[in-house]
Amino acid sequence: NPQLRPSIDWSLYLVTDSTPAILGDKDMVHVVEQALRGGVGIVQYREKHADTGAMIEVASRLHAVTQKYNVPLLINDRLDVCQAVGAEGVHIGQDDMNMVRARQILGPDAIIGVTASSPQEAEKAIKEGADYLGIGTTFATPTKLDTKHIIGTRGLQEILATCATGTEKSIPCVAIGSINASNVQRVLHQSTAGTNRLNGVAVVSAIMASADPEAAASSLLDLIKSSKDTFYAAVPPGKEATTDLEPLIAEVPAIIKKHVASNTLCHNMTNTVVQNFVANVCLATGSSPIMSENGPEAPDLAKLGGALVINMGTATPEKIATFLEGMRAYNAVGGPILLDPVGGGATAVRRNAIKTLLAGGFFSIIKGNEGEIGAVAGTSTTQQRGVDSGPSTSTERDKAALVKALARRERCVVLMTGKTDYLSDGVRTVAINNGSAFLGKITGAGCALGAVIASYVALHQDDKFLAALAGILHYEIAAEFAEKDASCKGPGSFIPAFLDALSIFGNDVAENTSSGRSEEF
Ligand code: 3NM
Ligand code: MG
């Protein structure tokens, strides 16, 4: 049915499942019809356990319905069933019949889709004439327990980077695996590679398990079509990301001024060692701190327009569950979240926690020392001793490149702290040389910086990179004043001098921001 093909809307692709755990006692054909009414643009009948006769029976009922909505019906794996009912095509996995043989059997007009989990599989399928790719498994899913590769948004991005979606040579790509209303927009955002984007997403349980499949499909489709780029992007669409630092620095005083008077909520899920200091720093910079690790109250707090700081700390399973609850709450309302992967490279538990958190939601900013950022990037070679940064062998260029690559990969803002700080949104990368050595001699200095940046970003979502830069300069220039203050004799007396300086400098900012010493990378 070749005339169907140009008009296929790949945005929302439904894959069926008849297992009671998903379908319940609903009638599958009825569910599919409701989903079509909700806007599903293509349907795949996937049945792993039924007899051939029964499959043909169901497939022909499904085909009658999909034809009514002018939507193609594909059959998972079973070319015989496809031919028996005259369906529009098949979807084949890597363990099914090979693509070339399937094409010989079904002919040039059939729609043949292939599952790909890597750029190599994708390239091969495209070369062999696949009509589209199902890429994944994006996130672990109870719907398909035998899945071999969980590739995350990072894996999607790697595949899209090689597939040239959006060009004439390209074929449509849809992502699959645990995609639902809570993550679909960030999957679309984070999988994007340059101008290569997903054409849509494929779901099973998000629709098949819903009590109201029409509403489920229609709200998913709304989310897919209404991009929330203003929330996700480091720079809002339409605004130019200038790499020229001068005009950026010029905007900083106004942002600091705005912040000092803002009382922006800064919600911290952080470790007990630093809570008191972090809360005091928040107050001194003009934000309103709340230290709450109570997951169930996160949705209410998220509605107050502030930011969430996830300070990973010891990363026990209970803490991870709480973090995920907080992340869901803030992602749902488009409130920024800062991830501070404290001690991220130190142990296998913490490295796994980072993976779980990255898969569990979207962070607007990731902040850490060299070892921690290396752990998030998955490139860390130095074993961290404690939560302090280990010895570094990398050059300035290496660090700037790592921060930029991670910002690109996660499509967010990344900050690597150290004697020199590196900040990037994947387009703009700067090195910041402000601060005081005392910040390395007191506990919680990094955690407090994270809290400051988070509230700045909540206040100035229009340009999260610039907001983070303003927060860093507020914090580090105040540290310079504190260090020079006559009352500061060592790390102990530095603390009160620093809290004073955060407040005084913030109020006095217009004259003093010119002391920021930052260079472009
Ligand atoms: N194929 P849900 S994952 C059918 O990775 C299927 O190839 C996958 O179900 C793959 O939307 C999957 O309920 C199940 O997570 C997706
Ligand atoms: Mg298969």
Side-chain angles (χ1 to χ4, degrees):
N1 201 338
Q3 60 272 38
L4 261 180
R5 212 178 304 181
S7 64
I8 297 174
D9 182 351
W10 297 93
S11 306
L12 184 56
Y13 179 141
L14 175 66
V15 181
T16 70
D17 195 308
S18 63
T19 55
I22 289 174
L23 189 61
D25 56 8
K26 304 188 293 280
D27 173 67
M28 191 172 67
V29 180
H30 182 61
V31 169
V32 169
E33 174 142 28
Q34 288 178 292
L36 287 164
R37 239 186 271 138
V40 158
I42 176 161
V43 176
Q44 177 193 137
Y45 173 43
R46 180 171 179 270
E47 178 56 78
K48 292 298 187 192
H49 306 292
D51 291 331
T52 305
M55 274 190 78
I56 289 173
E57 216 280 306
V58 174
S60 70
R61 284 171 59 215
L62 282 175
H63 200 208
V65 173
T66 56
Q67 283 177 310
K68 215 163 78 180
Y69 290 83
N70 198 32
V71 157
L73 175 70
L74 310 184
I75 313 294
N76 184 283
D77 188 14
R78 296 286 301 271
L79 278 73
D80 56 339
V81 176
C82 173
Q83 289 177 311
V85 304
E88 282 68 35
V90 292
H91 183 88
I92 53 188
Q94 290 292 324
D95 299 326
D96 300 338
M97 182 184 294
N98 80 54
M99 169 71 221
V100 175
R101 179 66 54 82
R103 179 67 72 198
Q104 282 167 0
I105 296 171
L106 295 180
D109 293 342
I111 301 169
I112 304 182
V114 174
T115 298
S117 313
S118 67
Q120 293 72 30
E121 288 176 359
E123 276 170 46
K124 180 165 180 284
I126 294 172
K127 205 170 339 131
E128 291 176 348
D131 294 298
Y132 76 92
L133 297 177
I135 61 180
T137 304
T138 309
F139 305 122
T141 171
T143 309
K144 186 175 162 72
L145 292 168
D146 65 347
T147 181
K148 282 176 255 170
H149 309 280
I150 309 290
I151 63 173
T153 53
R154 170 183 177 184
L156 299 178
Q157 197 184 63
E158 281 166 7
I159 295 172
L160 288 175
T162 64
C163 296
T165 55
T167 72
E168 269 174 33
K169 277 192 308 191
S170 76
I171 60 174
C173 289
V174 296
I176 187 162
S178 235
I179 297 172
N180 56 52
S182 79
N183 62 21
V184 64
Q185 291 198 321
R186 73 119 172 157
V187 167
L188 294 169
H189 171 77
Q190 287 191 296
S191 59
T192 299
T195 54
N196 298 358
R197 304 184 67 109
L198 285 172
N199 297 76
V201 297
V203 303
V204 180
S205 51
I207 292 176
M208 297 304 295
S210 169
D212 186 346
E214 180 176 346
S218 141
S219 65
L220 267 170
L221 196 61
D222 280 350
L223 289 166
I224 292 163
K225 303 248 165 167
S226 73
S227 121
K228 246 205 220 167
D229 275 354
T230 340
F231 162 47
Y232 290 110
V235 187
K239 192 175 171 194
E240 204 186 329
T242 170
T243 52
D244 186 2
L245 204 61
E246 286 286 311
L248 278 181
I249 297 279
E251 285 191 64
V252 164
I255 299 170
I256 294 180
K257 252 187 204 159
K258 192 166 70 164
H259 187 269
V260 165
S262 72
N263 279 320
T264 306
L265 185 83
C266 188
H267 177 181
N268 289 274
M269 292 186 164
T270 194
N271 62 79
T272 48
V273 179
V274 305
Q275 283 190 0
N276 178 281
F277 181 65
V278 170
N280 276 323
V281 167
C282 285
L283 289 168
T285 55
S287 66
S288 174
I290 177 161
M291 322 311 274
S292 166
E293 291 205 47
N294 186 7
E297 73 173 349
D300 282 348
L301 294 173
K303 287 184 198 126
L304 302 176
L308 175 65
V309 177
I310 304 261
N311 187 300
M312 206 178 70
T314 47
T316 60
E318 298 73 28
K319 276 186 184 288
I320 299 287
T322 301
F323 295 158
L324 290 170
E325 218 172 337
M327 288 160 60
R328 275 193 293 277
Y330 278 77
N331 276 177
V333 298
I337 310 174
L338 179 140
L339 173 65
D340 192 342
V342 177
T347 63
V349 166
R350 293 190 197 216
R351 285 190 291 274
N352 282 331
I354 289 174
K355 275 193 198 150
T356 305
L357 294 177
L358 288 180
F362 176 73
F363 297 101
S364 294
I365 321 148
I366 300 171
K367 170 215 151 282
N369 61 34
E370 188 180 356
E372 291 158 356
I373 292 299
V376 175
T379 56
S380 189
T381 47
T382 52
Q383 171 69 37
Q384 268 190 285
R385 212 163 22 87
V387 297
D388 53 334
S389 12
S392 166
T393 50
S394 45
T395 66
E396 297 238 311
R397 294 248 149 233
D398 291 342
K399 292 182 202 168
L402 173 62
V403 167
K404 183 174 182 175
L406 183 59
R408 256 176 206 250
R409 190 188 88 193
E410 296 301 321
R411 306 247 305 148
C412 69
V413 175
V414 175
L415 169 65
M416 183 196 288
T417 55
K419 191 158 182 301
T420 299
D421 308 308
Y422 297 88
L423 179 73
S424 181
D425 63 6
V427 178
R428 301 168 289 184
T429 306
V430 294
I432 303 158
N433 288 309
N434 292 95
S436 157
F438 282 124
L439 290 173
K441 304 268 188 247
I442 61 171
T443 192
C447 304
L449 172 60
V452 171
I453 294 170
S455 63
Y456 266 89
V457 169
L459 187 70
H460 196 77
Q461 294 227 34
D462 248 20
D463 189 337
K464 299 190 177 78
F465 171 88
L466 182 55
L469 181 62
I472 296 164
L473 291 176
H474 183 167
Y475 191 84
E476 296 195 338
I477 293 170
E480 293 173 11
F481 282 116
E483 183 186 79
K484 285 185 222 123
D485 195 273
S487 69
C488 177
K489 309 235 175 344
S493 46
F494 172 76
I495 294 174
F498 181 44
L499 292 175
D500 285 349
L502 283 167
S503 161
I504 294 164
F505 171 64
N507 289 320
D508 199 26
V509 74
E511 295 98 287
N512 292 308
T513 35
S514 56
S515 62
R517 297 187 306 278
S518 308
E519 59 190 277
E520 212 171 305
F521 250 89

